[in-house]
Amino acid sequence: MRSGRLGVGVIGAGRVGPVVAAALGAAGHALTGITAGSDPDRTEAILPGVPVLDAAEVVRRSELVVLAVPGSEIPALVEGLAAVGAWQPGQLVLHTHAAFGTDVLRPAAEKGAIPLAVHPAITFTGTSIDLRQLNGGYAAVTAPAPVLPIAQALAVELGCEPVVIAEGDRAAYGEAIATATEFSREIVRQSTALLAGVGVESPGMFLSALVRSSVDHALSAAFDAPWSDPGPTSPGDSIQG
């Protein structure tokens, strides 16, 4: 990892980008700017005073560019910025999507940028609560071997323990993340609807202790369970850190 502070710019002001920026700012890096989002008040609350810029200007001002956009938008975004000559040799470019490694950043790498993939394995709310969730969490990191320590160090600066995922395994990793998040949400939705249908008031509160204890029990059992290769998978664009 480079010594000293990095100028960090973020493209994507949804639930993930502002929180990642705030975590890196708290680690001592300088925030150069973030692109506009649909909820400017929320972004300002997390990143007070950080300039709102267009994507090309974020890249121009930054030593580390964080791409926190849906996976379906990453290829065109990276290619478009390459086409206008935005990427700079030696610049770090990091995306936060679960299902992609660094190959999706190839147009930037061909211009001399250093590609990194770091996915914090939490469900982002887009609020300061996420900063507490990052501390003690895990992050999947993928990068070319010579720069893997940079990706690992950035994960640590986010508050996470880095876990290395090979480029070829990112799709399967992304499917695991999608399964855990989407299945859990759907089960809770179904259960609360059934309870509401039989007259239970505040079904979410009613299920809270049960769901949390059930998940804790399942996770404890998973620590020592034997696992086999689940075979090929194909995650969708709903997977984003």
Side-chain angles (χ1 to χ4, degrees), residues 23 27 131-138 153-162:
L131 296 172
R132 295 195 294 271
Q133 289 194 89
L134 285 171
N135 284 301
Y138 291 84
L154 288 169
V156 170
E157 290 187 329
L158 290 174
C160 299
E161 180 175 338

Side-chain angles (χ1 to χ4, degrees), residues 30 43-44 52 57-58 61 64 70-71 121 133 159 174 189 195-196 221:
T43 301
E44 176 65 20
V52 177
E57 185 64 12
V58 167
R61 294 189 183 192
L64 165 62
Q133 289 194 89
R189 280 195 293 264
L195 288 175

Side-chain angles (χ1 to χ4, degrees), residues 75-181:
L77 173 63
V78 177
E79 181 63 45
L81 289 167
V84 299
W87 300 116
Q88 304 162 39
Q91 183 176 49
L92 302 173
V93 54
L94 177 158
H95 78 75
T96 60
H97 198 274
F100 297 133
T102 59
D103 190 59
V104 73
L105 302 174
R106 184 182 300 274
E110 289 173 347
K111 300 295 185 180
I114 297 171
L116 312 170
V118 178
H119 172 252
I122 70 167
T123 298
F124 285 84
T125 66
T127 69
S128 59
I129 292 171
D130 299 338
L131 296 172
R132 295 195 294 271
Q133 289 194 89
L134 285 171
N135 284 301
Y138 291 84
V141 299
T142 304
V147 295
L148 183 58
I150 298 176
Q152 292 171 307
L154 288 169
V156 170
E157 290 187 329
L158 290 174
C160 299
E161 180 175 338
V163 175
V164 177
I165 304 293
E167 181 78 25
D169 292 333
R170 285 293 291 219
Y173 168 79
E175 183 66 14
I177 297 301
T179 299
T181 55

Side-chain angles (χ1 to χ4, degrees), residues 2-14:
R2 302 175 183 183
S3 61
R5 299 193 308 171
L6 293 172
V8 178
V10 178
I11 298 176

